[in-house]
Amino acid sequence: MKNLKKILLIALPMLVLSSCSKDDDYKTAPFTPLLFTEDFPSGDGLDDTILELEGWTNMAETGTVVWKNQIYRGNGYAEFTSYQSSDAVSVGWLISPSIDMDEHIGEKLVFRSSQSYVSSVNNKLEVFVSSDFDGTNFSTATWTPIAAKLPTTDATYFEFMESGVIDLSSYTGNLHVGFKVTGSGTNTSLDGSYQIDNVRVYY
């Protein structure tokens, strides 16, 4: 079964032509003026490496797995998967740099996400915001879940979907956006993957 999974991991991105397309195809004009944007690196030698971006926090809350940089057809995106890890429980966070919410009004968040081989609702992607995370003390910060359109278990593998427009206008101070995935490397029903791309905060 795992061998089949490996084959599909290679073959499916080739079949889903609308997924993982270049960021140039994702127009930013509707999302301006921009306060924050992240399209994730697509440079040589970065594919399948630990995601390291200035200002971003990439951490394992439980287990050892962290987010990785992936590149397909010149497009970089962030991915979290516990597949083939030895962790019974994997909980990984990717947290944005601080975004100043006091300079403007009417701030909104959009991003795109996709999934691959997710078969259980317990293998999940969640999105949070925090206005008291200092970039270091994760456990003492307050994380508020926000509603977004996220891929379900029946979503087409690797096909990015829009989050919908998320209203952030009620927040003040320095805001962080956190993407959290829960999975498992030992439970095969919980070892799917999630991908994030084209994060925009605009007003």
Side-chain angles (χ1 to χ4, degrees):
M1 182 65 181
K2 287 300 181 184
N3 287 333
L4 176 60
K5 193 169 188 179
K6 290 178 182 178
I7 294 170
L8 289 172
L9 277 167
I10 297 171
L12 271 170
M14 300 298 293
L15 296 174
V16 185
L17 298 179
S18 61
S19 67
C20 302
S21 58
K22 290 186 177 181
D23 291 321
D24 290 344
D25 297 333
Y26 189 67
K27 297 183 179 181
T28 60
F31 312 128
T32 54
L34 282 169
L35 285 178
F36 176 81
T37 181
E38 182 59 66
D39 291 329
F40 299 102
S42 56
D44 292 341
L46 292 176
D47 188 36
D48 202 33
T49 60
I50 293 175
L51 188 60
E52 296 178 329
L53 292 173
E54 184 176 356
W56 284 81
T57 301
N58 182 6
M59 57 164 283
E61 180 183 6
T62 306
T64 60
V65 180
V66 294
W67 289 74
K68 286 190 172 183
N69 197 85
Q70 299 289 354
I71 302 170
Y72 178 68
R73 292 195 171 187
N75 176 51
Y77 54 95
E79 181 178 73
F80 185 93
T81 181
S82 52
Y83 176 57
Q84 290 189 326
S85 79
S86 59
D87 297 334
V89 179
S90 298
V91 180
W93 286 76
L94 185 63
I95 304 170
S96 77
S98 64
I99 304 166
D100 189 347
M101 304 297 288
D102 292 335
E103 290 188 1
H104 305 281
I105 61 173
E107 299 93 343
K108 303 173 182 66
L109 166 69
V110 294
F111 62 90
R112 296 201 295 173
S113 61
S114 63
Q115 65 97 336
S116 51
Y117 311 103
V118 174
S119 59
S120 169
V121 295
N122 294 318
N123 186 187
K124 58 188 175 181
L125 168 66
E126 300 170 277
V127 187
F128 296 81
V129 293
S130 175
S131 55
D132 62 0
F133 176 55
D134 62 6
T136 302
N137 297 311
F138 168 83
S139 62
T140 60
T142 302
W143 293 96
T144 303
I146 57 175
K149 296 176 183 177
L150 301 172
T152 60
T153 55
D154 59 353
T156 301
Y157 294 169
F158 300 105
E159 187 170 287
F160 280 107
M161 62 181 294
E162 312 293 336
S163 64
V165 177
I166 301 160
D167 184 9
L168 299 179
S169 62
S170 63
Y171 295 96
T172 59
N174 292 319
L175 192 72
H176 293 262
V177 180
F179 299 94
K180 174 186 176 183
V181 174
T182 301
S184 171
T186 59
N187 184 337
T188 57
S189 67
L190 301 176
D191 66 351
S193 306
Y194 284 99
Q195 299 81 34
I196 296 290
D197 201 2
N198 304 122
V199 182
R200 309 272 191 267
V201 176
Y202 65 103
Y203 60 97

Coordinates of all heavy atoms in Angstrom, one line a residue, residues 2 6 14 38 55 82 91 154 162-163 184:
K2 N 2.0 1.2 0.8 CA 2.8 2.4 0.9 C 3.6 2.6 -0.4 O 3.9 3.7 -0.8 CB 3.8 2.2 2.1 CG 3.2 2.4 3.4 CD 2.5 3.8 3.5 CE 1.9 4.0 4.9 NZ 1.2 5.3 5.0
K6 N 3.7 5.9 -2.7 CA 4.9 6.5 -3.2 C 4.7 6.8 -4.7 O 5.0 7.9 -5.2 CB 6.1 5.7 -3.0 CG 6.5 5.6 -1.6 CD 7.8 4.7 -1.4 CE 8.2 4.5 0.0 NZ 9.3 3.6 0.1
M14 N 1.5 15.3 -11.7 CA 1.6 15.4 -13.1 C 0.2 15.4 -13.8 O 0.0 16.0 -14.8 CB 2.4 14.2 -13.7 CG 3.8 14.1 -13.1 SD 4.8 15.6 -13.5 CE 4.9 15.4 -15.3
E38 N 3.2 36.2 1.1 CA 4.2 35.1 1.1 C 3.8 34.1 0.1 O 2.7 33.5 0.1 CB 4.3 34.5 2.5 CG 5.4 33.4 2.5 CD 6.8 33.9 2.2 OE1 7.3 34.7 3.0 OE2 7.3 33.5 1.1
G55 N 11.5 35.6 9.9 CA 10.3 36.1 10.6 C 9.3 35.0 10.8 O 8.4 35.1 11.7
S82 N 3.3 13.9 7.9 CA 3.9 13.0 8.9 C 4.2 11.7 8.3 O 4.6 10.7 9.0 CB 3.0 12.9 10.2 OG 1.7 12.5 9.8
V91 N 2.1 17.2 15.5 CA 1.4 18.5 15.4 C 2.5 19.6 15.1 O 3.4 19.8 15.8 CB 0.8 18.8 16.8 CG1 0.1 20.2 16.7 CG2 -0.2 17.8 17.2
D154 N -12.4 14.6 0.7 CA -12.7 14.3 -0.7 C -12.2 15.3 -1.7 O -12.5 15.2 -2.9 CB -14.3 14.1 -0.9 CG -15.0 15.4 -0.5 OD1 -14.4 16.3 0.0 OD2 -16.3 15.4 -0.7
E162 N -9.2 28.2 -2.7 CA -9.2 29.5 -2.1 C -9.8 29.4 -0.7 O -10.7 28.7 -0.4 CB -10.0 30.5 -2.9 CG -9.7 30.5 -4.4 CD -8.3 31.1 -4.7 OE1 -7.8 31.8 -3.8 OE2 -7.8 30.7 -5.8
S163 N -9.2 30.2 0.2 CA -9.6 30.2 1.6 C -10.9 30.9 1.8 O -11.6 30.7 2.8 CB -8.6 30.8 2.5 OG -8.4 32.2 2.2
S184 N -0.2 11.8 12.1 CA 0.6 10.7 12.7 C 1.4 10.0 11.7 O 1.0 9.8 10.5 CB -0.4 9.7 13.3 OG 0.3 8.5 13.8

